[in-house]
Amino acid sequence: MSPELVEEGVVCLLILGGCLFVLCVGCLIADFVFPRIPLIERFLDSLPEFEDDEELDRLERERIRRHREARRKARYKRRRT
């Protein structure tokens, strides 16, 4: 291994280490600082829960659709009376 190759490897490792450090700090800020800001906390709470299981996701979407449809029907009945 030539010294130039080792120098290049060290520089690449320093750049990669810097990028990983920035990502680590960003994750810590996102985990501990953002939830303490009320505006961001309300936004995060308004996001729907993510389901990895497709069947559970389909059932949840169906439940939400039925709920919206029931509200729409109730609104329509109130307008007619």
Side-chain angles (χ1 to χ4, degrees), residues 8-74:
E8 188 176 328
V10 169
V11 170
C12 288
L13 284 175
L14 287 174
I15 292 171
L16 182 64
C19 290
L20 290 175
F21 178 74
V22 168
L23 285 173
C24 181
V25 170
C27 289
L28 290 174
I29 289 172
D31 281 347
F32 298 110
V33 176
F34 284 174
R36 296 180 188 266
I37 300 172
L39 177 67
I40 297 175
E41 184 179 6
R42 283 193 305 270
F43 172 72
L44 293 175
D45 289 341
S46 72
L47 295 175
E49 293 295 323
F50 180 76
E51 286 290 342
D52 286 335
D53 189 8
E54 291 180 17
E55 180 66 20
L56 290 176
D57 186 45
R58 185 187 63 75
L59 291 173
E60 180 65 17
R61 288 177 190 261
E62 181 66 25
R63 184 190 66 79
I64 292 171
R65 186 191 63 75
R66 283 194 312 268
H67 181 69
R68 286 180 181 163
E69 192 173 317
R71 283 190 314 189
R72 195 175 303 127
K73 285 181 181 178

Side-chain angles (χ1 to χ4, degrees), residues 76-81:
Y76 179 71
K77 285 182 182 178
R78 280 193 303 240
R79 285 187 201 162
R80 290 189 63 189
T81 58

